[in-house]
Amino acid sequence: MMMEHKLHVGVLFGGRSGEHEVSLMSARSVLASIDRNKYWVTQIGIAHDGAWWVGENVLDALMQSDVSGLSPAALFPDPTRRSLYRILPEDAHEQLERLAELDVIFPVLHGTFGEDGALQGLLELADLAYVGAGVLGSALGMDKGVFKSVMQAEGIPVVEWMVATRSEIESNVQAVAQRAMQLADFPLFIKPANLGSSVGVTLCLSAADVVEGLFEAARFDRRVLVERGVKNPREIEVSVLGNDQPQASIPGEIIPSREFYSYEAKYIDGKSELLIPAPISVELTRQVQDLALRAYRAIDCAGMARVDFLLERESQSGSDPKLYLSEVNTIPGFTKISMYAKLWEYGGLSYSELIDRLIELALERKAERDRTERRFRREES
C-alpha cells in the first residue's frame, strides 16, 4: 500500500573526480534498491566537467557520456529556495523552472567535490538534509595526511607517513624522493592525499618507482601522501552507522586479487574475495570495532563510514602483530561488491533497510542542526 506522504530524495552521482565511474556504479545499486513506495526519487547527475543534469535515465546518459536528452540543473545556496531547478533555453536567455523541492539529498559521490566537504558546504548553505558526514568530517576523512595527524593525536595507531605538495615535486622531485625513502624501507605507497578507490596509487619497490609514483599521484591532487607499506598485510574493514551514537558492524576481510587492493582488483577483474566475518579472534574483533568508533567520533563523522585497517601477518620484532588504522571513507562504495552494505547485510540489515536508515539519520542530523541558534540577542539588564 502506498504511503500517504513520501519523502523526495535527490540521488546525486558522478562528479568532477577520478572516481566518477565508481560513483556511477554505486548510484546504480542505490537506485535499484531504494524503496519507491516510500520515496520520490530524482536522479541528479554531475558530469566530468561539473555540469548538473536532470531528466529521464540520467545515470544511463552519464554512463554513455551522452547528455543530449537531459536538461541542465541548478541547486542554489539560498536556504529560502530549497528546490532543484531545471534550466531551460529561451531565445538568447535561460529560464529557471522549479523541478522539485527536495527533502533529502543522498550523495553517492566519491573523491573530490563530493566526499571532501565541498558539496556538504553547499548543502549546509542551502539548509538541506543530506546523507553522510558534514563539512568537517568529510574534509578530515578525505585528506589522508591531516587525517593521520588527527589519529596520531588521538593515540590511534597509523603507519609512518609524510606529505609533499605538487609544487615541491615539480620543482625538485629528487629531493622529495630522498625524503620519502628516508621515511622507511621499501615497500612504500604513494597516493593522492584527497582521493580514494586506489586511483593514482603506486606501490614502490625502488627509487625509480618513487619518482614515478610522486608524479602519478600529483596528477590527481596537489597534496601527495607517502606512507610505509606494511608487508603483505591483511586488510580488515568495518562499517559504521549512526550519528552521535554510532554502531560498528562485524569486521570483514579483503583478499585482493592483485599485489594490493588496486582499482583493477576492486572494480575490474572481479576476482577479489570478501570474507564476512573476518577470520580474526574475538579480542581483535573488539579492538577493531573500538578503534573504528574512536576514529569516527574523532573526525565528527555522521551517517556512515567504512573504516579500513591493515593487520601485520607476523610481527617484525617478535611481539604481537600490529594493527594500523588506514583510513575512514565517509561515502563508501555502494556497488554490488562493496563491503559497506555487505557487512550490515550479514548483521541482518538489508540494502533497502540500510538506505532507509541512512535517510533517517540525515533527517535526524538536520533536526539537530536546526536547534542551533543563528542570532545572538544580548539580554538587557
Side-chain angles (χ1 to χ4, degrees), residues 76 120 175 332:
F76 295 104
Q120 289 73 18

Side-chain angles (χ1 to χ4, degrees), residues 329-348:
N329 293 273
T330 57
I331 303 184
F334 270 85
T335 69
K336 63 182 180 180
I337 64 168
S338 297
M339 183 72 91
Y340 184 81
K342 284 184 172 293
L343 289 172
W344 288 118
E345 186 177 25
Y346 180 86

